[in-house]
Amino acid sequence: MSSDVRKFIKTDTEAVLTILANGFEELISPIVRSLLLSSPLLFYGVIVPTSVVAYLTEDITWPIIHRLCAAMFVSSTTVGLFRLTLKSLVTHSIHDYIAQQKKDDLRDISEFYSCAKGCAFWVYTVNKDEAIGKRDIVVKEGGVEDVVGCVALENKGNGVCELRRMSVDSSYRRLRIAQKLLQQLKAHACQQGYTKITLSTSEFQVAAQRLYVKHGFQLCSTTAIEEPKAALSLLQRIGKACLRLLLPSEPKIFHYEYLIE
């Protein structure tokens, strides 16, 4: 398949925003799964009480096995409702985060990541005709390529740059696209005289962490996820308070660095 890593141009904006938004939304299921498996409140505050209450309130003339099955049914139904509520809270949080990013560096990618500032933004493209067999392609008039991945480099000053906006379309995973984008960024950083590349990723992005470690990045610190800068509505505040109760600890951001020799 013909492919290429090239600099971002204005007409790539819609495709890049779609890839990044889809990447963020893919975190919803891992986050919900992690919360369900790690939350002590789910076990001690939901499963145990509902099971005990259901067992005690069933008809005492029923055989024990029937009462246990009824208790398990009530408990599983409660957990199902609990999971739906939790997914709704996480989904709202992710969508709020996406909206905030579109007001930040993604508002004008060409300007924010301009070469004049020592920054760069690349996209990975594939030939549309050859890509049709891989997935359904929406062919834009006059276009011959499809953007399926991206990565950005931001100048942080003092010889340090930050890797940002790494994402690959889910239909094109495991084709070494992320590795090629990462290699392009590392080569460019070296050419521009940077001495260190930093990046941050959440604890839920396990595949990304493996990729960075494989390519020489080392974990240097962890911090709690920062509160959003935008003002929160009452519903958002209630949702965040519920998430805090569910979590045994604050979600973590992992910070990595790569020293350029």
Side-chain angles (χ1 to χ4, degrees), residues 71-194:
M72 291 175 62
F73 173 77
V74 172
S75 178
S76 62
T77 302
T78 303
V79 171
L81 294 174
F82 185 87
R83 184 183 183 281
L84 288 175
T85 302
L86 184 58
K87 184 176 181 180
S88 177
L89 291 173
V90 173
T91 300
H92 277 294
S93 296
I94 291 292
H95 287 171
D96 288 343
Y97 178 77
I98 294 172
Q100 181 60 37
Q101 300 313 295
K102 289 181 179 180
K103 297 176 183 178
D104 189 16
D105 62 308
L106 300 179
R107 184 175 61 84
D108 189 337
I109 296 173
S110 296
E111 169 61 24
F112 191 94
Y113 293 104
S114 68
C115 295
K117 297 179 179 179
C119 304
F121 198 107
W122 296 273
V123 296
Y124 192 95
T125 64
V126 296
N127 182 281
K128 283 187 174 182
D129 292 332
E130 297 179 18
I132 288 176
K134 178 67 182 175
R135 63 168 187 160
D136 294 332
I137 300 295
V138 179
V139 181
K140 298 178 182 178
E141 184 178 354
V144 295
E145 60 183 13
D146 194 44
V147 175
V148 300
C150 60
V151 71
L153 179 151
E154 181 183 356
N155 180 7
K156 306 300 288 187
N158 299 319
V160 178
C161 62
E162 181 180 4
L163 182 156
R164 302 188 65 188
R165 304 310 181 194
M166 170 72 84
S167 189
V168 176
D169 187 298
S170 59
S171 297
Y172 288 88
R173 304 274 170 79
R174 296 182 176 86
L175 295 175
R176 300 184 62 82
I177 293 175
Q179 289 90 325
K180 293 174 183 177
L181 287 167
L182 184 53
Q183 289 167 359
Q184 173 68 38
L185 183 143
K186 289 169 68 176
H188 180 81
C190 183
Q191 293 171 0
Q192 297 301 310
Y194 287 107

Side-chain angles (χ1 to χ4, degrees), residues 51-65:
S51 298
V52 171
V53 171
Y55 179 82
L56 294 176
T57 55
E58 294 296 341
D59 191 333
I60 60 174
T61 61
W62 285 13
I64 292 179
I65 187 64

